Amino acid sequence: MTAALWRREAGEMPREIGWRAARIAGTWIGTPYRHQGGRKDVGCDCLGLVRGVWGELYGREAERPGAYDVDWAVRGEGELMLEAARRHLDERTGEAPLTGDVLLFRWRERLPASHCGILDAEGRLVHAYEGSAVVSSAIPEAWMRRLAGLFRFPDTP
């Protein structure tokens, strides 16, 4: 995918839920990284961030994931993250990401998707960065080649 991915056609606007999701995700920036965490200002991983934004949008948790090891994806335990996204989010295919969309990445071709984040209004990814915190960072072209799924928060859960 190229930089053209980020260009929006005239009149193409994210939905209100997307703007709200992006604003909420921005309030998580600085939350320390914590494996399996999901609490703003306390600690979260990338999945915990998306779950936390869901909770703030809809007032409840979508589902509680079971315990998972740091290296669960390396062991090839199936498309757990991608399947959960399909259960709770609206999948988008063949479209450019919009503000508030959830992006899922796989780091190796044959491994499951194992990282996710939320697109902010500047086209940057808000995600929990292992060893650091929730950050907003540019999305390198190499990451876009590893995009495993593109989703949006539904209007109603």
Side-chain angles (χ1 to χ4, degrees), residues 41-113:
D41 300 323
V42 175
C44 70
D45 59 11
C46 64
L47 179 58
L49 168 66
V50 173
R51 290 175 46 227
V53 170
W54 174 284
E56 289 189 51
L57 283 170
Y58 305 117
R60 63 177 175 79
E61 189 165 23
E63 78 179 57
R64 190 174 286 276
Y68 49 95
D69 293 329
V70 173
D71 64 346
W72 69 270
V74 176
R75 293 193 314 265
E77 294 182 6
E79 289 287 3
L80 304 176
M81 187 179 283
L82 195 57
E83 290 167 4
R86 287 179 175 143
R87 282 193 299 275
H88 301 288
L89 303 170
D90 296 333
E91 190 163 13
R92 302 182 62 219
T93 57
E95 300 177 60
L98 296 173
T99 300
D101 282 355
V102 177
L103 286 71
L104 274 64
F105 301 92
R106 71 178 80 250
W107 298 127
R108 293 199 182 124
E109 188 175 322
R110 292 186 174 93
L111 292 180

Side-chain angles (χ1 to χ4, degrees), residues 121-136:
E122 285 77 43
R124 297 170 62 86
L125 187 69
V126 178
H127 60 123
Y129 191 81
E130 186 175 357
S132 181
V134 175
V135 298
S136 172

